[in-house]
Amino acid sequence: DVVMTQSPLSLPVTLGQPASISCRSSQSLVHSDGNTYLNWFQQRPGQSPRRLIYKVSDRDSGVPDRFSGSGSATDFTLKISRVEAEDVGVYYCMQGTHWPWTFGQGTRVEIK
Amino acid sequence: EVQLVESGGGLIQPGGSLRLSCAASGFTVSSNYMSWVRQAPGKGLEWVSVISSGGGTYYADSVKGRFTISRDSSKNTLFLQMNSLRAEDTAVYYCSYGLLRDWGQGTLITISS
């Protein structure tokens, strides 16, 4: 199975400051169709997960443009340009290239 | 608007069976991937199973041979048949549409004697 490793696991941030989460996969996530199925999810306290980013860098409808995804092959990053209070929660990367699909451990974002 | 509503959760003894349902609206369940993802209390997300638009099914190793995913297009509903349940299957189970684009509110399954 593809192992997804996130860092850091806890991220205290100051409101208005940037934040960055790293996600590394144990093998390349480039699919035979040429796409890279790396997704990012946000889970606010007490809520269902919400997809933010798909295929590395495509933002889902309604997701603020302060969220951005980048990376390739095995190294990926989620960036929040200016953290707001509503961004508190746990963020997960997930690969949909290889079966079984697998998630990272999650990164908890909190306000300092 | 896509809506997903899970049901069927509850308390069940180890070794028992349960069937979860996910009623969909705003799209047809056979049009795209439909998945189940679970989250044990205080833990991270674990993908469980998916059914493709073509009917192909895939499972996590932890549930293979015990769980079966299916859909009923006439009812526009996704199902998860869960057999031989274990304590470690205790979790909130979410259904999801597409490549985990849309999610339901989840239903809690507790396996305990």
Side-chain angles (χ1 to χ4, degrees), chain A residues 29-59:
Chain A
L29 298 186
V30 180
H31 194 276
S32 56
D33 66 6
N35 290 308
T36 300
Y37 295 101
L38 186 284
N39 310 288
W40 289 96
F41 298 85
Q42 174 195 60
Q43 188 174 31
R44 292 171 171 152
Q47 294 188 13
S48 299
R50 168 198 184 194
R51 197 179 73 179
L52 299 175
I53 303 285
Y54 62 100
K55 288 196 288 184
V56 181
S57 59
D58 290 336
R59 209 178 304 116

Side-chain angles (χ1 to χ4, degrees), chain A residues 41 43 48 51 92 99-100, chain B residues 39 47 50 94 99-101 104:
Chain A
F41 298 85
Q43 188 174 31
S48 299
R51 197 179 73 179
Y92 299 90
W99 300 109
Chain B
Q39 186 169 36
W47 173 78
V50 69
Y94 297 99
L99 191 56
L100 306 187
R101 191 193 77 177

Side-chain angles (χ1 to χ4, degrees), chain B:
Chain B
E1 180 192 3
V2 170
Q3 282 201 323
L4 298 163
V5 179
E6 301 95 335
S7 60
L11 173 64
I12 189 159
Q13 293 189 336
S17 296
L18 206 58
R19 189 175 83 155
L20 303 183
S21 300
C22 173
S25 58
F27 69 100
T28 55
V29 293
S30 58
S31 64
N32 206 321
Y33 285 121
M34 291 290 299
S35 298
W36 290 98
V37 177
R38 68 185 180 183
Q39 186 169 36
K43 303 297 184 182
L45 300 173
E46 180 188 17
W47 173 78
V48 171
S49 181
V50 69
I51 184 166
S52 72
S53 57
T57 58
Y58 300 87
Y59 299 92
D61 289 345
S62 56
V63 306
K64 202 175 294 183
R66 300 188 298 124
F67 290 11
T68 303
I69 191 171
S70 63
R71 67 191 179 205
D72 184 333
S73 297
S74 67
K75 296 179 180 178
N76 213 32
T77 300
L78 177 73
F79 301 102
L80 186 68
Q81 178 66 43
M82 309 163 66
N83 298 330
S84 304
L85 284 163
R86 307 166 180 167
E88 54 265 35
D89 295 319
T90 293
V92 173
Y93 285 73
Y94 297 99
C95 72
S96 182
Y97 168 67
L99 191 56
L100 306 187
R101 191 193 77 177
D102 297 284
W103 296 64
Q105 85 288 349
T107 186
L108 176 62
I109 311 297
T110 303
I111 314 301
S112 175
S113 54

Side-chain angles (χ1 to χ4, degrees), chain A residues 72-83:
Chain A
S72 62
T74 62
D75 283 294
F76 305 92
T77 302
L78 176 70
K79 292 183 179 177
I80 310 174
S81 60
R82 294 173 306 280
V83 171

